[in-house]
Amino acid sequence: MEVDAFRRLFPLRFHERHLLESVRPDARPLGKARETSLALGAVASADGSALAKIGCTTMLAAIKMEVMTPAKETPDEGCIAIDFHMPAICSPIVRPGRPAEAAPVVSKQLSDTIISSGMVDLKELSLVSGKAAWMAYLDIYCLDADGALFDAALLAAVAAFSHLQIPVVSLNEEGRIVVFSKQNEGEKLKNKPVNEEKRKLKLRSIPFGLTCIIHKNYILADPIAEEESIMETLITIVLDSSYQLVSLYKPGGPAVAYESIIQDCIALSRQRVGELQTILNEAICDMEVD
């Protein structure tokens, strides 16, 4: 039987034959992630944006800043709203006109991770206490869904916040916040500035994710969509840039019986954090040079 036909008819047996040799069909070692790339400033009209690729999985993240009235409970804090989109072009299993089942799950996971990690100090988004603050709308679009969607979406989100430049604003005569643009440049000059120039956020404890598949006694890092579809147990580990555990996410599947398996996944995640931190720093340096 030809290899491609065997792979289509018996996908699990096909992958298990490779596992016996401790190698994947794409020639990766079991614990190695796919090639990863980042490009900042992918959307010119956004205040911050990035394009992230992990293998074929591709995510486009864009941030738009808008002025809002802060909640009474948090008068000195802004907000972050996160939405994850999976258009039909990203995967053959996503039907046109129907929402993808994975989209709200990934969206919730991203929101929980970004907020709980403390990466963004919401007080930095405050403009006038109790009156005005920034709302950061983060939209992430999946352009190609080939496994490890959360990992790639989180990387794109982190990179977009690294690229983010908060717009210049001023107070008008009525005491309202005016966002600077070319149309109201003169108005900005004659009114009291809230911030003199565009500024970047100070990011802390940047989170990075690594999804692993547990199959029998094997651990496969950064799975492709085919591996996710035939092997049941997935674990996503999120560590911050200081290698502290932010979250551990296991969406169903058989129970993981051994603590040693979790420890091995965390060890792979620590290695992956170093790789992603280097990739992010290089992308930031490339953007500054340009």
Side-chain angles (χ1 to χ4, degrees):
M1 184 181 296
E2 293 185 3
V3 175
D4 289 343
F6 182 78
R7 183 172 188 170
R8 286 194 297 269
L9 292 172
F10 309 103
L12 184 57
R13 287 174 58 188
F14 173 81
H15 282 269
E16 286 180 338
R17 285 192 176 186
H18 285 81
L19 293 179
L20 292 174
E21 304 296 329
S22 297
V23 71
R24 320 267 276 272
D26 58 7
R28 280 188 293 155
L30 302 188
K32 184 174 177 59
R34 292 168 289 175
E35 185 176 342
T36 304
S37 63
L38 264 181
L40 305 187
V43 182
S45 59
D47 296 308
S49 61
L51 182 71
K53 292 190 69 175
I54 300 179
C56 290
T57 301
T58 307
M59 299 288 172
L60 178 66
I63 301 173
K64 199 68 178 176
M65 305 294 288
E66 290 187 8
V67 177
M68 66 157 196
T69 301
K72 292 182 180 179
E73 297 79 12
T74 54
D76 297 314
E77 294 184 359
C79 287
I80 300 172
I82 300 172
D83 207 356
F84 180 74
H85 309 269
M86 291 186 69
I89 62 169
C90 75
S91 170
I93 65 173
V94 179
R95 300 291 183 87
R98 296 182 183 179
E101 293 182 3
V105 176
V106 175
S107 185
K108 178 68 165 58
Q109 197 178 354
L110 286 168
S111 297
D112 291 345
T113 299
I114 290 174
I115 298 301
S116 64
S117 68
M119 177 182 73
V120 177
D121 183 358
L122 297 180
K123 292 185 182 296
E124 277 201 64
L125 300 178
S126 177
L127 290 169
V128 179
S129 179
K131 295 184 178 180
W134 286 112
M135 167 69 85
Y137 290 98
L138 169 62
D139 286 283
I140 303 171
Y141 294 87
C142 180
L143 305 182
D144 193 337
D146 189 28
L149 301 187
F150 171 78
D151 302 352
L154 180 60
L155 179 60
V158 164
F161 274 111
S162 299
H163 176 253
L164 174 65
Q165 288 190 317
I166 297 179
V168 177
V169 293
S170 63
L171 285 171
N172 65 13
E173 296 175 354
E174 299 175 354
R176 294 184 177 181
I177 293 290
V178 177
V179 179
F180 170 66
S181 64
K182 292 182 179 179
Q183 288 76 19
N184 60 12
E185 183 174 1
E187 187 175 359
K188 182 191 85 91
L189 293 175
K190 69 182 182 181
N191 291 322
K192 180 183 178 181
V194 176
N195 55 312
E196 297 284 355
E197 57 185 17
K198 289 186 176 183
R199 64 183 177 87
K200 288 184 171 292
L201 287 175
K202 296 178 181 177
L203 302 183
R204 310 169 302 171
S205 303
I206 298 176
F208 298 102
L210 177 68
T211 296
C212 297
I213 281 183
I214 313 300
H215 183 69
K216 296 182 178 179
N217 293 323
Y218 300 101
I219 299 175
L220 289 73
D222 182 28
I224 61 173
E226 182 182 8
E227 292 169 333
E228 290 183 346
S229 68
I230 61 176
M231 302 180 194
E232 294 180 332
T233 304
L234 274 74
I235 295 179
T236 299
I237 307 288
V238 180
L239 303 179
D240 63 22
S241 47
S242 300
Y243 302 100
Q244 298 300 308
L245 181 66
V246 176
S247 66
L248 187 153
Y249 181 70
K250 181 180 177 293
V256 178
Y258 302 107
E259 182 181 342
S260 61
I261 292 178
I262 302 296
Q263 294 294 340
D264 290 343
C265 290
I266 292 176
L268 289 173
S269 298
R270 291 175 65 89
Q271 180 180 339
R272 182 62 170 158
V273 166
E275 296 172 358
L276 293 177
Q277 186 72 67
T278 299
I279 292 169
L280 177 60
N281 290 340
E282 289 176 351
I284 293 172
C285 289
D286 291 344
M287 191 69 190
E288 291 174 349
V289 170
D290 295 340

